[in-house]
Amino acid sequence: MGSNEHQGIVPRIVQDIFNHIYTLDANLQFQIKVSYFEIYLDKIRDLLDVSKTNLAVHEDKNRVPYVKVRLNNRSNKYE
């Protein structure tokens, strides 16, 4: 991944999340869900599941846009 100063936004965010969790009570449990999309030429593609292409954008009751996907990839550790 290179040096820390050359890391991209995703590795930096993940590291920050886990650094914060490590400062909290050891008896707490966390479940972290992520999605990672590419928007290109008005098409949305799930980069964690390449079979999902041309996904639709929805709006919640507050008019906040979101992409509905089912997160089922689980990992028990971060490296």
Side-chain angles (χ1 to χ4, degrees), residues 37-77:
F37 298 104
E38 172 188 69
I39 303 171
Y40 181 70
L41 296 176
D42 294 327
K43 294 189 179 183
I44 301 172
R45 187 169 67 130
D46 186 338
L47 296 176
L48 299 177
D49 183 350
V50 295
S51 69
K52 295 177 183 172
T53 60
N54 205 16
L55 299 168
V57 176
H58 304 278
E59 286 186 352
D60 68 10
K61 64 181 180 180
N62 297 315
R63 299 188 46 93
V64 175
Y66 69 94
V67 177
K68 188 187 302 187
V69 295
R70 185 169 180 213
L71 298 173
N72 57 7
N73 297 335
R74 294 185 143 215
S75 176
N76 292 326
K77 66 180 193 175

